[in-house]
Every structure is written in structure tokens, then in C-alpha cells.
Amino acid sequence: MRAMRALVAPLAADRVLLQKESVAYYESVGDFVVAERDGEMLGCGAVHVLWEDLAEIRTLAVAKAALGQGIGSRILERLVERAHELGVERLFCLTFETEFFGRHGFAPIEGQAVEPEVYAELLRSYDEGVAEFLDLERVKPNTLGNTRMLRVL
């Protein structure tokens, strides 16, 4: 967990990723996959289920020294596999990296991507990722400039 936080910290400082408290990493440890070489953390990412057919790709990060080596793509491919294993049909992400996610089948979305009944249920969540997916006004300062993207599996 410490290595993941250290990997994410500079990206959070640059406001590319959201900074999370340590407890959030521990609570979601089962969502994560990591890439490492010789004990060094090269990248990480998570797939977090939001609803029965919907999950979010979260905290996809690659160490600066490992950029351009395909590590982010391999992490994302593994996360997509995990989503398939979980029976998820759609993947959401909130990102500045629209070209990267576009190459992997994600497309920008506008408005709501769920039915009104599901929207009403998701409003009850305390999860910030759900609030970002729903494009709620209270998360706008954290999401400014990011693009909401979706991939149908």
C-alpha cells in the first residue's frame, strides 16, 4: 500500500489523480492489480464495481521511469479481464488521458449512462467514484478538466 501511495502521490499533487487516504487503499485492496519488476512498483490500477453491470477503472498509474513501456496498457487489460470475470458489462473512467483510454475502447459520455431507477439508488452511495460517475455538482472541483468515458464490454 505504501508503494502504491508513493506512486500516486506525485500524480495527485499534479491533480491528475485524486489523492486518497491510506484507509481507502486498504479498504479496496482487492480491487487492485500491480506491475512490479525486481520488487519495484511500476504501476497499479483498480476495477471497482459500482452496480451489477457497471464498474470503474480507478487509480491507474505508472511510474514516470516506466512510461512508454506498455505497462499501463497491460494493467488496463488485466482490469478489463477482471471486469469480465465479475460479469460487468460496462466500464467507466474519469480521466485526462482520453487518447490512452480511447485506444482501449473507451468513449466520452455526456449525461447519465444509467436508468433513472439505478441513478436514484447510486445517489445513496458515499463513494466519491460513484459521485463522479453521476457527474454530481459536489465533485466538480475534483473533476474539472477530466473526461467521463465508458467502454461497453
Side-chain angles (χ1 to χ4, degrees):
M1 292 299 126
R2 288 186 180 121
M4 277 197 293
R5 285 199 75 208
L7 179 67
V8 171
L11 296 167
D14 291 341
R15 300 188 55 88
V16 173
L17 291 176
L18 293 177
Q19 182 62 47
K20 297 179 181 183
E21 299 297 330
S22 294
V23 67
Y25 287 96
Y26 286 104
E27 288 174 339
S28 60
V29 69
D31 294 347
F32 277 91
V33 297
V34 299
E36 63 179 353
R37 183 182 309 129
D38 300 325
E40 179 186 354
M41 173 82 61
L42 299 178
C44 67
V47 61
H48 182 78
V49 175
L50 303 178
W51 197 250
E52 65 187 36
D53 65 339
L54 178 69
E56 180 185 9
I57 300 296
R58 296 181 171 182
T59 319
L60 182 55
V62 175
K64 204 172 267 190
L67 289 173
Q69 299 176 24
I71 292 168
S73 291
R74 284 182 280 188
I75 291 171
L76 182 55
E77 289 165 8
R78 179 61 190 121
L79 295 172
V80 170
E81 288 173 14
R82 287 183 73 182
H84 274 293
E85 292 165 3
L86 293 168
V88 170
E89 297 170 6
R90 298 177 300 158
L91 284 172
F92 163 76
C93 70
L94 180 72
T95 185
F96 290 109
E97 301 295 334
T98 55
E99 289 183 30
F100 171 80
F101 281 97
R103 287 193 308 269
H104 292 279
F106 287 78
I109 59 170
E110 297 290 331
Q112 291 308 319
V114 293
E115 298 76 30
E117 301 80 28
V118 175
Y119 182 89
E121 288 290 330
L122 290 173
L123 279 175
R124 295 183 176 117
S125 175
Y126 294 104
D127 188 291
E128 288 300 297
V130 171
E132 293 162 355
F133 172 74
L134 296 177
D135 203 25
L136 298 181
E137 204 56 43
R138 69 178 171 82
V139 295
K140 293 289 187 193
N142 290 334
T143 62
L144 207 56
N146 280 304
T147 300
R148 296 165 62 235
M149 300 183 81
L150 195 70
R151 175 177 168 181
V152 177
L153 303 181

